Amino acid sequence: MERNGLDVLLDRWLNDPAFRDGLGSDPESAIRASGIDLSAEEWDALRAAKYDLSDGALAERVNKPRLRL
């Protein structure tokens, strides 16, 4: 099964400290240099992401209960 670009990006982010550092300073350049193929929608999502959240703020967002309709 072929992995999508975000799966590959996440795997690199989790396992490659140099790539993770590159994402912190210049996400677009780091992704392009890595050769990860992202769709236009994936690029839009990454450009809209907030990279300056602290670990605590990120954990709060992730753990925030969601309403189900």
Side-chain angles (χ1 to χ4, degrees), residues 10-68:
L10 180 59
D11 185 56
R12 287 283 305 272
W13 182 80
L14 290 169
N15 297 301
D16 184 342
F19 179 71
R20 189 169 42 250
D21 290 344
L23 283 177
S25 62
D26 187 355
E28 249 181 87
S29 293
I31 294 166
R32 291 189 189 285
S34 74
I36 296 172
D37 186 29
L38 299 177
S39 70
E41 291 170 331
E42 291 168 332
W43 276 114
D44 289 344
L46 287 171
R47 288 181 182 118
K50 295 187 181 213
Y51 292 95
D52 59 349
L53 293 175
S54 68
D55 289 345
L58 183 57
E60 185 177 316
R61 282 185 155 202
V62 169
N63 295 316
K64 186 176 184 178
R66 295 191 176 117
L67 295 176
R68 295 187 184 220

